[in-house]
Amino acid sequence: MSKVASEFQDIDIEKERKEILNAFKGLLRATKDRSREDTRMIRKAFDVAVEAHKDMRRKSGEPYIYHPIAVARICVEEMGLGATAITCALLHDTVEDTHITLEDVEDLFGSKVRLIIDGLTKIPEVFDENASIQAENFRKMILTISDDIRVVLIKLADRLHNMRTLGSMRADKQLKIASETKFLYAPLAHRLGLYSIKSELEDLALMYSEPEVYSKIENSLKSTKDVRNRFIRRFVQPIKEALQFEGYVFDIKARTKSVSSIWRKMNAKGIPFEEVYDIFAVRIIVDTPTELEKPDCWRIYSIITDFYQPSPDRLRDWISTPRANGYESLHTTVMSPTGKWVEVQIRSKRMDEIAEKGLAAHYKYKESKSEESKFDRWITEIRDLLENPDANALDFVNEFKANLFADEIYVFTPKGELRVLPNGATILDFAYDIHTDIGDKCIGAKVNNRLVPLSYQLLNGDQLEIITSSKQKPHDEWLRFVISARAKQKIKSSLNEERKTIAQDGKEILERKFKQHNIRLTAENITFLEKYFSMPSVTELYFRIAKGKIDLIKLRDIDAVHGILNGEKKTNNSTKDKHEKDVYPKINKSEDSIIIGEDFKNIQYQMAKCCNPIPGDLVFGFITISEGIKIHRNNCPNAEHLLSKMNYRCIKARWQSKDLVERVAAIQIMGIDNIGLVNRLTEIISKEHNVNMKSISFETEDGIFDGRIKVLVYDTDHLEQLMRKFEQVDGVQRVTRWDTEEDQHPQESH
Ligand code: MN
C-alpha cells in the first residue's frame, strides 16, 4: 500500500505536516475522558508512527500516516474504545511495514500494547485466493481475538478504513478485498454486535463487487426519499406527541435499510425494489436511568400499540434476555394506517450505544451489576483459556470458540459461503440446513477434503462438501447424529412416511398370504398374529413382514397347530406355552445367560469393537471390570484367549429374535485396483435398500486394493447379502468380515 515519497514531486512538505498535525488533533479531541498518562501515550504513539511511516504514501498519494490516524478515530468514535486501543491503532502497521520491531513496541509502550500489535501483525492484509486457505485464516483470526478482543476490533477499524478508501486500488484488488470483507469481516462485525459497521462494510463490498446493482439501488433510494420521509413523518407524529405528553426525553430515528440489505431481500424473495424499499425500522431511544429502562421501554410499547395494531408473533424482548453479544432492545412490528408493516425498536440510550458500538461500549456502563458480571464472566472465560499452557493452537481455538460463541459454529460451503450452525452440529445438520432433499440423500461428506461419516461433528472453520446418493434414505440412527431441531423434525417425518409405506407393503403381502392359505382376513386373525410374533403393534407386524423378518411360510403350521386362523376354537393356554417352548427351545433362565436385545435391569452390555457381532452370529458375553458385559463373536480373534484363560468370566449369550435394530458390521474388501472400483462399491451401498454406511476407507498399494467399510445391518443374513454383492464386482478378490485392530489384544477391558 505504500510508495516512496520521491515518486511524488511538487509536494508542499510544510503544508502537509500541518495537515497531519490537524488530523491528529482531531483524533485527540474525539478522545474524551483521557488522563494525562493516556495523552502522553497517544502522543508518543503518534510520534513513533509519523517517524516510521515518513517515507510512505498510500495509493492515493497522501501520506501513509493518515491511515493509522483514521483507524484510531474509528476505534474512538465508532467503537467507543479507549487509550490503549488508540495507541495500538496508531502503531498497527509499523511492525509489519517499517523498521520498528515488537521489542521496540514493548520497550516504549509495555507488554499489553506489544501483545495487541503482535496479534494485528499476524492477521494477513489480503488472504489467499484459495477458499480453504481463507477458512484457515479465518480460524487464525478468531484465535487472535483470544489474545485481546481489541485485536479484532482494531482489525475491523483498519478494514473499514481500507474499504472507505478502496477507490484508489487496482480493480482486481478491489474485487478481492470486497469479497473478503463480505464473507470474513462483515459477519465478524455482526457477531461482535457492531451493527452499523457491519452494514457499512456490506454496502462498500457491494459497491465494489456489483457497482451497477449498487448504484441502481442507491439512485432508487434517493428518488423515493420524499415519499418515504412523508410516510415516516405521519407514522411517527402521534407517537411523538404521546411521548412528549408523558414527559419522556427521547429521540426517534427512522432508518432506511442499507443498500446491501435491500439487495439481499430482493434476491432472497425474488421481489423488485419497489416491494422492499419502504420497509424500514423506526427506533425510539429513551433517555432514562438504568433502573427505569425496562418499565419505560414497556410503557412506550404500550403507547405505540395504542395507536397501531402489533403483530403478536413479532414481539422480541431482548431486554429481559439480552442476546449473547450483549444486544438489548424491545422489538415489535405494527400495522400502519396505510396497511404497511413497520418494525419499531424501543431501547434506552445505553442500550442503543451498546447496539451501535458493540461490546466495547460495555466498559462504559458499569453501574448495572448484572451487566458487569456478565461481561466480566465473558472476559474471564477468555483469560482462563489463556492461562491453559498445555493447549496447542488448534485445541485452543476450538475450546475458545466453544466458550465465546457458545451456541454457534461457523462452517463454509465449497464455494466459501459461511453458514452458522448450532454448536455440536454434524454434517447431517449442515445438509438439512441447506435443503431437506440434500439431508435425506446425504451419504457422507468431504470435510477439508477428507471423507467423513454422517456422525462427524463440525468444527469452526470446516469447509464441507456433502455427498449425496439418489438411493439414500433417512435412517433411525440419524436422529442420534443431529442436534438442530430442523434436521430432527425433517428426519422424523421422512422416517414416518417411509415406515408407513413399508408397512403398507407388508399389509398387502399378508393379505395375499391369507388368501393363499384360505385364511379369513379378520381383525381377530391379525391380532392373533401380532401376539403370536410378540409385536408391539400391527404396524410393526406389517413393517417386519415387508422387511422379510417374519416368515409367513410358517402360517400353515401355525394354522395347523392352532386352527385359530380359520376360526376353529381351540384356544388353549397350554398349546400356546408349548409353542413358545418350541420357538425358544434354548431359553436359559439361569442367571449366567444373556439375551441380547432384552432390557435387563442393572445389566449393561455392549458389542465388542474387535469383532462387531450382529444378530445371527454365534456369540458369548464377557464380563469386564468396568464396562459391563461385552458381546463377542465365537470366532472373534480374542475369543480363544477369553474362553480358555478367563472362562469363569464368560457367559452364554444369544439374540432375542424380535430384536430388529441396526448394528455395526465391518467388511474388508481386497482386490485388484482398477478405475471405477471404488465407485462400484459405493454404488452398491447406496443402492442397497437398508444399508447405511458408517465409515469407509480405501487404500491402494502396488495395485492391490484394500477397502474397509463399516455398515449398519440388521443381522448376518443381511450382511451376507451385501458381501455377496461386493464379491460380484469386477476386480474384487476377497470379501471378509473385518475384525478391527483397535481391540485386537485381549486386555482387561474385554
Ligand atoms: Mn492498516
Side-chain angles (χ1 to χ4, degrees):
M1 272 215 188
S2 61
K3 280 195 175 178
V4 176
S6 61
E7 281 181 35
F8 298 89
Q9 303 300 323
D10 313 320
I11 288 169
D12 186 339
I13 301 292
E14 216 29 65
K15 192 180 155 217
E16 232 175 46
R17 196 167 289 161
K18 259 187 201 149
E19 279 166 7
I20 291 170
L21 218 58
N22 277 336
F24 177 65
K25 278 180 187 156
L27 169 68
L28 275 183
R29 270 196 302 276
T31 316
K32 292 170 200 118
D33 319 320
R34 66 190 138 83
S35 64
R36 287 174 139 224
E37 192 73 23
D38 290 344
T39 313
R40 213 173 300 133
M41 179 164 73
I42 293 168
R43 203 173 277 282
K44 189 160 75 177
F46 172 69
D47 290 341
V48 169
V50 167
E51 172 61 23
H53 291 300
K54 71 175 188 290
D55 294 331
M56 295 164 68
R57 283 175 187 275
R58 304 198 88 209
K59 278 269 152 55
S60 59
E62 65 175 14
Y64 195 84
I65 189 69
Y66 281 125
H67 169 63
I69 294 174
V71 172
R73 199 152 171 171
I74 292 171
C75 288
V76 178
E77 292 185 320
E78 294 171 58
M79 294 175 171
L81 294 171
T84 307
I86 296 167
T87 305
C88 294
L90 286 169
L91 298 168
H92 83 270
D93 278 330
T94 55
V95 172
E96 197 166 354
D97 299 342
T98 76
H99 58 87
I100 306 275
T101 64
L102 279 173
E103 285 70 35
D104 296 338
V105 171
E106 182 163 3
D107 289 345
L108 291 164
F109 303 96
S111 57
K112 179 91 250 176
V113 173
R114 179 206 166 121
L115 187 79
I116 296 171
I117 299 291
D118 191 24
L120 282 163
T121 310
K122 279 184 197 145
I123 304 174
E125 190 58 44
V126 176
F127 291 107
D128 198 275
E129 274 160 86
N130 187 319
S132 67
I133 306 275
Q134 279 180 330
E136 175 64 28
N137 281 321
F138 189 39
R139 257 179 299 197
K140 269 189 212 150
M141 188 155 76
I142 302 284
L143 176 66
T144 52
I145 312 176
S146 57
D147 290 339
D148 192 300
I149 186 72
R150 282 171 287 201
V151 172
V152 168
L153 294 172
I154 295 167
K155 189 68 209 175
L156 280 169
D158 183 26
R159 173 54 58 125
L160 181 58
H161 185 244
N162 284 337
M163 285 302 291
R164 283 173 181 170
T165 54
L166 197 59
S168 39
M169 297 287 275
R170 263 193 355 245
D172 59 326
K173 269 202 157 183
Q174 286 178 349
L175 266 182
K176 199 165 160 181
I177 294 174
S179 78
E180 204 178 87
T181 299
K182 187 185 160 205
F183 96 82
L184 285 185
Y185 291 98
L188 199 60
H190 181 80
R191 196 69 188 93
L192 292 166
L194 299 158
Y195 296 117
S196 56
I197 288 179
K198 175 223 167 197
S199 55
E200 188 178 348
L201 285 174
E202 279 178 347
D203 274 8
L204 288 164
L206 184 66
M207 188 170 113
Y208 287 100
S209 59
E210 307 214 40
E212 279 143 42
V213 168
Y214 184 87
S215 63
K216 207 172 164 213
I217 296 177
E218 200 190 24
N219 288 334
S220 307
L221 271 176
K222 270 183 202 149
S223 66
T224 50
K225 205 176 164 193
D226 291 343
V227 187
R228 228 175 15 249
N229 286 344
R230 211 176 310 131
F231 175 82
I232 292 169
R233 257 199 317 278
R234 278 191 201 144
F235 178 84
V236 161
Q237 196 52 37
I239 302 175
K240 217 175 180 171
E241 282 165 12
L243 292 182
Q244 273 162 355
F245 181 76
E246 299 258 341
Y248 281 113
V249 181
F250 63 95
D251 196 9
I252 297 186
K253 291 179 187 169
R255 199 179 286 179
T256 323
K257 285 187 162 303
S258 68
V259 175
S260 57
S261 68
I262 288 176
W263 177 232
R264 220 178 7 249
K265 200 148 226 163
M266 286 166 67
N267 266 330
K269 299 200 170 166
I271 49 178
F273 174 82
E274 287 65 33
E275 287 174 37
V276 185
Y277 78 103
D278 55 354
I279 303 171
F280 41 77
V282 170
R283 184 177 302 161
I284 298 168
I285 301 148
V286 60
D287 195 353
T288 189
T290 320
E291 62 274 17
L292 288 177
E293 283 178 335
K294 197 173 169 181
D296 278 352
C297 287
W298 280 104
R299 172 81 192 114
I300 293 168
Y301 169 83
S302 156
I303 290 168
I304 293 163
T305 50
D306 282 346
F307 293 102
Y308 305 116
Q309 186 64 37
S311 165
D313 54 336
R314 281 155 89 180
L315 176 66
R316 299 282 179 275
D317 177 9
W318 282 304
I319 293 179
S320 306
T321 355
R323 281 174 163 177
N325 59 15
Y327 183 81
E328 288 171 81
S329 195
L330 186 61
H331 291 192
T332 178
T333 300
V334 298
M335 179 63 81
S336 75
T338 52
K340 228 175 269 172
W341 288 111
V342 178
E343 183 179 279
V344 183
Q345 305 174 348
I346 309 160
R347 54 174 83 144
S348 71
K349 219 175 156 188
R350 179 193 63 87
M351 294 171 187
D352 191 54
E353 200 153 327
I354 290 169
E356 293 288 306
K357 293 180 182 172
L359 279 169
H362 270 281
Y363 282 119
K364 284 194 180 173
Y365 296 96
K366 293 218 162 178
E367 302 92 41
S368 164
K369 282 266 158 51
S370 70
E371 202 116 44
E372 186 185 3
S373 66
K374 224 180 299 157
F375 187 64
D376 284 350
R377 205 164 59 228
W378 186 73
I379 291 289
T380 314
E381 269 169 13
I382 297 169
R383 295 282 162 271
D384 284 352
L385 284 162
L386 281 168
E387 281 158 18
N388 184 356
D390 295 330
N392 70 41
L394 203 76
D395 289 343
F396 188 78
V397 181
N398 293 337
E399 224 178 311
F400 176 74
K401 163 221 66 188
N403 281 285
L404 178 60
F405 302 149
D407 47 354
E408 286 173 358
I409 56 162
Y410 291 80
V411 293
F412 297 91
T413 67
K415 286 181 182 159
E417 189 197 331
L418 197 69
R419 287 195 98 98
V420 187
L421 288 167
N423 191 20
T426 61
I427 60 166
L428 265 180
D429 287 300
F430 177 84
Y432 277 103
D433 185 55
I434 291 176
H435 199 280
T436 308
D437 281 347
I438 294 180
D440 283 348
K441 304 286 175 214
C442 177
I443 55 169
K446 273 188 190 168
V447 171
N448 307 326
N449 286 321
R450 196 167 52 88
L451 220 52
V452 300
L454 294 171
S455 57
Y456 174 85
Q457 272 196 10
L458 299 173
L459 300 173
N460 233 6
D462 274 349
Q463 184 166 40
L464 56 157
E465 185 185 339
I466 295 293
I467 304 166
T468 57
S469 157
S470 59
K471 300 289 158 46
Q472 178 69 301
K473 279 176 188 163
H475 291 254
D476 294 321
E477 204 197 21
W478 287 16
L479 288 168
R480 288 197 279 115
F481 297 162
V482 296
I483 66 159
S484 63
R486 176 188 161 83
K488 271 200 179 123
Q489 184 243 320
K490 297 283 177 197
I491 293 169
K492 272 185 190 156
S493 70
S494 294
L495 284 175
N496 281 339
E497 278 314 302
E498 167 95 359
R499 233 178 151 76
K500 273 187 212 153
T501 320
I502 294 172
Q504 190 54 39
D505 292 347
K507 191 178 175 200
E508 281 162 22
I509 293 170
L510 186 67
E511 283 169 6
R512 276 200 301 278
K513 285 279 165 188
F514 270 30
K515 221 172 195 176
Q516 272 176 31
H517 293 284
N518 260 332
I519 299 167
R520 283 183 302 122
L521 188 69
T522 60
E524 289 83 17
N525 280 345
I526 289 167
T527 311
F528 171 78
L529 277 187
E530 185 191 327
K531 288 202 176 120
Y532 181 84
F533 289 108
S534 319
M535 289 295 117
S537 70
V538 183
T539 317
E540 188 65 21
L541 176 76
Y542 290 151
F543 180 75
R544 283 173 199 229
I545 287 171
K547 289 266 179 185
K549 292 290 146 195
I550 283 177
D551 194 359
L552 288 177
I553 292 172
K554 280 186 185 161
L555 263 186
R556 174 165 286 162
D557 307 337
I558 297 166
D559 192 32
V561 173
H562 304 283
I564 285 169
L565 294 173
N566 276 324
E568 297 169 36
K569 292 206 170 169
K570 257 202 226 167
T571 25
N572 180 332
N573 282 340
S574 67
T575 35
K576 204 184 172 200
D577 288 348
K578 187 171 157 260
H579 162 74
E580 281 194 345
K581 270 178 197 153
D582 290 344
V583 176
Y584 307 118
K586 282 177 188 165
I587 278 188
N588 185 345
K589 296 275 183 199
S590 81
E591 281 165 36
D592 18 274
S593 172
I594 179 166
I595 299 167
I596 305 155
E598 212 160 77
D599 250 349
F600 274 100
K601 274 177 197 154
N602 308 324
I603 297 184
Q604 285 205 329
Y605 64 86
Q606 46 185 295
M607 300 304 134
K609 285 204 182 94
C610 49
C611 55
N612 293 309
I614 54 175
D617 282 330
L618 294 173
V619 288
F620 67 97
F622 180 76
I623 303 161
T624 66
I625 298 297
S626 57
E627 292 173 83
I629 296 169
K630 288 216 174 159
I631 308 297
H632 290 264
R633 270 158 51 198
N634 287 3
N635 58 359
C636 166
N638 295 319
E640 200 188 319
H641 173 85
L642 298 174
L643 288 165
S644 61
K645 299 271 160 48
M646 287 182 269
N647 65 337
Y648 57 95
R649 283 165 62 187
C650 296
I651 56 168
K652 286 183 208 161
R654 60 173 198 84
W655 304 94
Q656 192 188 34
S657 54
K658 70 171 182 184
D659 184 32
L660 193 68
V661 291
E662 292 183 313
R663 293 184 192 280
V664 182
I667 304 170
Q668 182 179 25
I669 301 164
M670 303 282 279
I672 309 296
D673 187 36
N674 64 34
I675 297 164
L677 182 60
V678 173
N679 234 354
R680 299 279 301 282
L681 294 171
T682 44
E683 219 175 68
I684 288 175
I685 295 172
S686 61
K687 276 184 181 155
E688 202 53 33
H689 222 54
N690 312 311
V691 178
N692 187 15
M693 186 166 58
K694 205 162 186 310
S695 73
I696 184 164
S697 73
F698 295 109
E699 262 171 42
T700 306
E701 211 182 320
D702 299 334
I704 300 298
F705 169 89
D706 181 355
R708 313 260 169 152
I709 304 176
K710 282 188 180 174
V711 288
L712 290 160
V713 290
Y714 290 118
D715 52 27
T716 42
D717 290 351
H718 195 188
L719 181 65
E720 289 283 315
Q721 267 178 31
L722 186 65
M723 287 168 69
R724 293 295 86 79
K725 284 194 178 137
F726 285 148
E727 274 170 0
Q728 283 156 22
V729 173
D730 237 16
V732 169
Q733 307 263 314
R734 195 161 61 97
V735 179
T736 47
R737 283 286 279 283
W738 153 50
D739 301 312
T740 47
E741 274 138 47
E742 39 194 293
D743 267 16
Q744 199 69 272
H745 304 288
Q747 305 284 325
E748 197 46 73
S749 71
H750 290 291

